[in-house]
Amino acid sequence: DHAVIRTILATNDEDNSMIFSGDVPEGWQARLMWGKFDNIVDGAAKAATSAVLEDAANSLSILISCLGRKALMGQRIVDEVEQSASVLGPKNCRVGFYSYGEIAPHSVSEIPVLHNQTMTITTITEK
């Protein structure tokens, strides 16, 4: 019920362990997952849809994508930027960078935690 996503940064063959991008408290379980490129791109489009401002003729959007997404997608990471751009519109200027995740409230506990594999878009405009 309180799952969070962590990116695997490395594995240690000597002790058969994994190093995650954030804390995994003792006693917690890890469930491995895999991603599909189309789902990742769709997630970026969904983030862009949430960031679109109505009646914003000219706006600036800041796109922050998690490095875990880039690690999975490789050169196809440009697809999420292009999809976001098509949703945000032609008069929107975009700037972006990669992060190691974001700190935001957990959807169940509402306690701020580190989230990985995220695409966060903030849009700014002047009226």
Side-chain angles (χ1 to χ4, degrees), residues 34-37 40 67-74 117:
W34 55 276
K36 291 184 178 181
F37 294 155
I40 292 172
L67 281 171
R69 296 167 73 93
K70 186 177 187 312
L72 177 65
M73 294 189 69
Q117 306 291 332

Side-chain angles (χ1 to χ4, degrees):
D1 292 338
H2 294 86
V4 291
I5 296 176
R6 296 286 182 256
T7 300
I8 298 173
L9 298 176
T11 58
N12 184 335
D13 292 335
E14 292 178 18
D15 64 3
N16 292 320
S17 65
M18 293 183 280
I19 299 170
F20 293 94
S21 61
D23 292 340
V24 178
E26 188 173 335
W28 281 30
Q29 295 180 351
R31 180 172 53 183
L32 301 180
M33 55 188 254
W34 55 276
K36 291 184 178 181
F37 294 155
D38 291 342
N39 291 351
I40 292 172
V41 172
D42 290 346
K46 185 176 179 182
T49 300
S50 297
V52 170
L53 297 175
E54 292 184 32
D55 301 325
N58 296 301
S59 58
L60 168 70
S61 291
I62 304 166
L63 288 71
I64 305 169
S65 184
C66 184
L67 281 171
R69 296 167 73 93
K70 186 177 187 312
L72 177 65
M73 294 189 69
Q75 292 298 318
R76 289 206 46 204
I77 196 69
V78 71
D79 294 353
E80 77 172 1
V81 176
E82 290 174 350
Q83 186 68 26
S84 298
S86 71
V87 171
L88 292 167
K91 293 187 176 184
N92 173 265
C93 293
R94 290 162 303 283
V95 63
F97 55 93
Y98 294 104
S99 73
Y100 287 105
E102 66 175 313
I103 298 172
H106 189 276
S107 62
V108 176
S109 70
E110 298 184 5
I111 296 171
V113 295
L114 174 69
H115 299 270
N116 288 131
Q117 306 291 332
T118 57
M119 166 62 113
T120 304
I121 301 176
T122 301
T123 301
I124 302 167
T125 188
E126 182 178 18
K127 287 193 174 196

